[in-house]
């Protein structure tokens, strides 16, 4: 390590170091500034997007329970959310709500389309894990009701075996039972029972198990 006998030598060494490495230092500074500016801009953009999306979502959601609201108003606000702010949680939540409503009304094809759109929108590094999981479960349940048992299993394959909700095990069991893979279905039902606390749900599951065994 170099030793300097005076402040003048230290200052001179610093100036020489800067002259020798000025290009590297300048590039590093510009890169750091670029990262900081990009980060601030991204956060500001997200905040702005969410604020605008929230306003449209609130109007759309209120119209759902407003008898005087027209279907065209609902559709216009829904489409505006999906087209302008598809990456926001508000747009994805609206699609989940509409998909669930369509499924309850028996329009399974339209509901399936909504949940598949939600699956795509909520995926990726900046996606929403909770809505992504909800989309997969609902797609599987709709496929079950359409007797597309293999399709139901396929959409559930990506769930982690160590963190599955009892409903995932149950839906897998239903699909396997539909494919007449009874032993595998019983294994899934057993896993669901281990994780269920609700007695009425446990009773329903036991009925499914008894149906296979009898």
């Amino acid at each position: 390590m170099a030793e300097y006998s005076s402040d003048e030598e230290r200052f001179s060494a610093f100036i020489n170091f800067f002259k020798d490495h000025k290009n590297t230092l300048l590039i590093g500074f510009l890169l750091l500034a670029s990262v900081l500016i990009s980060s601030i801009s991204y956060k500001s953009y997200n905040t702005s997007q969410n604020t605008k999306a929230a306003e449209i979502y609130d109007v759309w959601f209120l119209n759902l329970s407003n008898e005087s609201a027209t279907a065209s108003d609902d559709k216009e606000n829904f489409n505006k959310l999906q087209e302008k702010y598809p990456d926001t949680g508000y747009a994805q939540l609206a699609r989940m709500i509409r998909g669930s409503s369509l499924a309850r009304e028996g329009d399974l094809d339209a509901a399936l389309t909504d949940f598949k759109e939600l699956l795509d929108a909520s995926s990726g590094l900046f996606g929403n894990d909770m809505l992504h999981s909800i989309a997969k479960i609902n797609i599987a349940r709709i496929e079950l009701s359409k007797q597309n048992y293999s399709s139901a299993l396929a959409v559930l394959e990506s769930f982690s075996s160590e963190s599955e909700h009892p409903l995932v095990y149950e839906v897998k069991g239903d699909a396997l039972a539909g494919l007449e893979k009874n032993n595998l279905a019983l294994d899934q039902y057993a896993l669901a029972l281990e994780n269920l606390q609700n007695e009425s749900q446990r009773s329903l599951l036991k009925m499914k198990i008894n149906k296979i065994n009898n």
Side-chain angles (χ1 to χ4, degrees):
M1 182 177 179
E3 295 184 2
Y4 305 103
S5 58
S6 66
D7 292 338
E8 288 80 3
E9 288 184 359
R10 292 188 183 91
F11 182 73
S12 177
F14 173 78
I15 294 299
N16 289 334
F17 176 84
F18 181 79
K19 287 180 179 178
D20 293 340
H21 300 87
K22 61 181 178 181
N23 290 337
T24 301
L25 293 172
L26 180 59
I27 292 172
F29 173 78
L30 291 175
L31 286 173
L32 178 60
S34 176
V35 170
L36 290 174
I37 292 171
S38 297
S39 177
I40 293 171
S41 298
Y42 179 74
K43 289 180 180 179
S44 176
Y45 173 78
N46 272 351
T47 300
S48 174
Q49 291 288 96
N50 280 314
T51 299
K52 293 174 182 177
E55 294 173 357
I56 299 172
Y57 174 85
D58 288 342
V59 174
W60 174 80
F61 187 76
L62 287 173
N63 281 345
L64 292 181
S65 57
N66 187 351
E67 295 180 357
S68 63
T70 64
S72 61
D73 289 337
D74 290 345
K75 186 175 181 180
E76 180 182 355
N77 286 317
F78 182 86
N79 289 340
K80 190 183 296 184
L81 263 178
Q82 306 307 323
E83 292 167 5
K84 292 188 175 182
Y85 313 104
D87 295 328
T88 65
Y90 294 101
Q92 295 170 22
L93 184 59
R95 193 172 286 282
M96 184 198 74
I97 292 171
R98 194 180 77 164
S100 299
S101 178
L102 289 168
R104 286 194 300 271
E105 294 169 2
D107 193 347
L108 297 183
D109 289 334
L112 188 59
T113 297
D114 263 348
F115 283 119
K116 285 183 176 179
E117 290 285 348
L118 176 60
L119 188 69
D120 290 338
S122 59
S123 64
L125 182 62
F126 299 104
N128 187 306
D129 291 340
M130 183 183 72
L131 291 177
H132 194 67
S133 297
I134 290 173
K136 286 194 285 189
I137 291 172
N138 279 282
I139 289 171
R141 294 176 76 177
I142 292 173
E143 295 287 16
L144 268 181
S145 66
K146 294 162 70 71
Q147 297 185 343
N148 297 330
Y149 304 120
S150 295
S151 297
L153 283 174
V155 77
L156 297 176
E157 281 182 357
S158 59
F159 273 109
S160 169
S161 60
E162 296 179 356
S163 60
E164 287 181 10
H165 189 277
L167 180 58
V168 177
Y169 291 124
E170 183 176 357
V171 174
K172 281 185 176 181
D174 292 343
L176 289 165
L179 292 170
E180 298 184 354
K181 297 181 179 180
N182 291 340
N183 288 335
L184 294 176
L186 289 172
D187 290 341
Q188 294 299 313
Y189 288 150
L191 289 170
L193 272 178
E194 289 177 8
N195 292 276
L196 271 175
Q197 302 296 325
N198 185 286
E199 284 303 321
S200 61
Q201 291 176 326
R202 289 176 63 86
S203 297
L204 180 61
L205 200 53
K206 288 176 181 178
M207 289 174 62
K208 292 181 179 180
I209 293 172
N210 291 335
K211 184 178 178 181
I212 291 178
N213 287 329
N214 293 332

